[in-house]
Amino acid sequence: MAEFVHSPVMLEELLSLLVPPRPEALMVDCTLGEGGHAEAFLSRYPDISYRGIDADPRIQAKAALRLGRFGDRVSFLSGYFDEVLGAWEGPGPDLVLFDLGISMYHFVESGRGFGHGKDEELDMRLSPEAPRSAAQLLAQEREEEIARIIFEYGEERFSRRIAAAIVAARRSGGIATSGRLAEIVSAAVPPQYRHGRIHPATRTFQALRIAVNDELGRAERGIRLAVKLLAPGGLVAVIAFHSLEDRIAKRIFREFSSTSASTGASDLPISEDTGGAMLGLLTKKPLESSAEEQARNPASRSAKLRVARKIGAAGKANA
Ligand SMILES: C[S@@+](CC[C@H](N)C(=O)[O-])C[C@H]1O[C@@H](n2cnc3c(N)ncnc32)[C@H](O)[C@@H]1O
């Protein structure tokens, strides 16, 4: 029997906001993971059907076991969500969920070097089809580019020092494991930073993972495609775990929002230029996890949930 190590984040909030606009709605879960959200939606709404996308076929296999009892109400699509949505055929979904980032499974079980706490091969690819591992990225990129990645995707103020230390370590044997990278980063930062609230390598690990999987580019393209594909009256939800992702969701929702004062998008006709869609925002400000959930599941502390509805009557075909 598979063990599930990830708790679905902000589940109650999602269940109360992402209400199917029709009983036989189609829900697309762009980040299926271990299928925790999927199981809850399939149980709560017995007539919906569900398509679960994940870039990682290994975690998807765990979800398939968990969701087996729902039979042909569930189907699985393997690949990065922007690519799967870009090749979408058939009716648009009524509900779309993005629960961005990686799963607890990746830290605990994958063996692919996502965390600084274990000494594993420094891979970090979600999909076996991603072009290069984190170790290859660190071996190939110029120091300035490594510093940029760590600064922009990790929001790490010691990015230059860390990049210089990585390049120096490259000359003496390379960086093949997560343990080695954690050591190099710890030694590169000032001593007081080593004893801060988070491990000194946390931000560097996040940055590398984002770069290896092009997480921000994919979030940008994926959320736009979801808005475009969504059936009229349908709902899209995005859970982000750091400000870089949340900013993307906020900007796209604002851009397509009928209530957006900043862009004036409410006056625009529905057209190809605007992604073929207009949205109403259900969350003007993002929702955060409850104190109870934060105590139970510390990983939910940084979660921000935004939900928007595509303008139009449910049941009409998508353009
Ligand atoms: C936070 S976990 C989802 C957890 C899931 N909601 C649950 O309840 O078990 C995010 C999942 O999305 C996948 N993922 C991340 N970025 C992706 C992308 N661009 N395309 C497809 N899958 C992605 C990861 O492999 C991971 O399994």
Side-chain angles (χ1 to χ4, degrees):
M1 184 69 191
E3 288 280 321
F4 301 107
V5 290
H6 186 90
S7 302
V9 167
M10 299 192 76
L11 180 58
E12 286 314 315
E13 292 83 351
L14 274 178
L15 285 168
S16 62
L17 283 168
L18 224 50
V19 176
R22 57 191 184 97
E24 296 183 349
L26 170 62
M27 177 157 178
V28 173
D29 184 336
C30 291
T31 48
L32 181 68
E34 289 182 341
H37 286 122
E39 184 174 46
F41 273 91
L42 284 155
S43 306
R44 172 76 63 97
Y45 299 111
D47 296 318
I48 65 166
S49 53
Y50 208 91
R51 253 175 245 178
I53 304 170
D54 206 292
D56 187 341
R58 287 158 279 192
I59 198 169
Q60 205 171 36
K62 290 188 79 176
L65 275 179
R66 181 182 207 161
L67 303 174
R69 69 188 162 99
F70 298 104
D72 61 9
R73 290 177 60 207
V74 194
S75 56
F76 301 93
L77 297 163
S78 209
Y80 285 106
F81 52 62
D82 54 314
E83 294 175 19
V84 174
L85 295 178
W88 194 262
E89 283 180 3
D94 301 288
L95 301 171
V96 180
L97 170 61
F98 294 88
D99 177 18
L100 294 170
I102 61 174
S103 167
M104 201 48 77
Y105 155 87
H106 290 104
F107 292 111
V108 177
E109 285 181 24
S110 75
R112 276 173 265 159
F114 284 99
H116 50 74
K118 290 188 165 196
D119 196 19
E120 299 172 337
E121 190 180 338
L122 190 60
D123 187 315
M124 295 199 189
R125 279 176 286 205
L126 289 177
S127 161
E129 284 168 22
R132 63 180 173 172
S133 68
Q136 286 167 326
L137 185 155
L138 291 182
Q140 292 164 356
E141 286 300 346
R142 290 182 316 126
E143 183 176 326
E144 295 73 28
E145 176 60 4
I146 294 174
R148 181 195 70 80
I149 287 171
I150 297 174
F151 181 71
E152 284 184 18
Y153 303 157
E155 301 181 290
E156 169 59 72
R157 62 193 157 124
F158 298 113
S159 55
R160 287 195 187 176
R161 285 186 190 211
I162 295 170
I166 287 170
V167 170
R170 229 158 55 173
R171 291 188 211 108
S172 54
I175 306 164
T177 66
S178 51
R180 177 85 183 105
L181 178 62
E183 271 169 25
I184 292 166
V185 176
S186 298
V189 299
Q192 65 275 23
Y193 196 58
R194 277 176 224 147
H195 308 294
R197 196 176 51 83
I198 58 169
H199 187 282
T202 304
R203 293 171 187 279
T204 300
F205 273 74
Q206 172 186 300
L208 279 176
R209 195 197 86 208
I210 290 175
V212 164
N213 295 290
D214 184 18
E215 288 183 29
L216 300 181
R218 293 187 188 283
E220 173 88 35
R221 294 189 292 277
I223 298 168
R224 281 181 186 280
L225 282 162
V227 170
K228 194 166 180 175
L229 288 171
L230 204 59
L235 294 154
V236 52
V238 181
I239 305 178
F241 290 87
H242 52 77
S243 54
L244 301 164
E245 283 170 345
D246 183 56
R247 247 178 262 152
I248 292 173
K250 176 179 174 181
R251 180 167 40 73
I252 297 174
F253 279 14
R254 284 255 171 99
E255 187 182 325
F256 292 124
S257 156
S258 59
T259 56
S260 167
S262 58
T263 62
S266 57
D267 300 331
L268 294 175
I270 295 176
S271 75
E272 277 303 305
D273 290 349
T274 60
M278 288 175 74
L279 296 176
L281 304 185
L282 273 68
T283 50
K284 299 253 160 63
K285 287 210 165 116
L287 300 185
E288 296 183 5
S289 55
S290 65
E292 180 279 315
E293 181 173 4
Q294 293 189 15
R296 178 169 43 82
N297 178 17
S300 72
R301 283 185 194 153
S302 49
K304 289 201 163 34
L305 167 64
R306 294 181 186 271
V307 183
R309 185 191 305 279
K310 187 148 170 182
I311 308 278
K316 293 236 172 86
N318 200 6

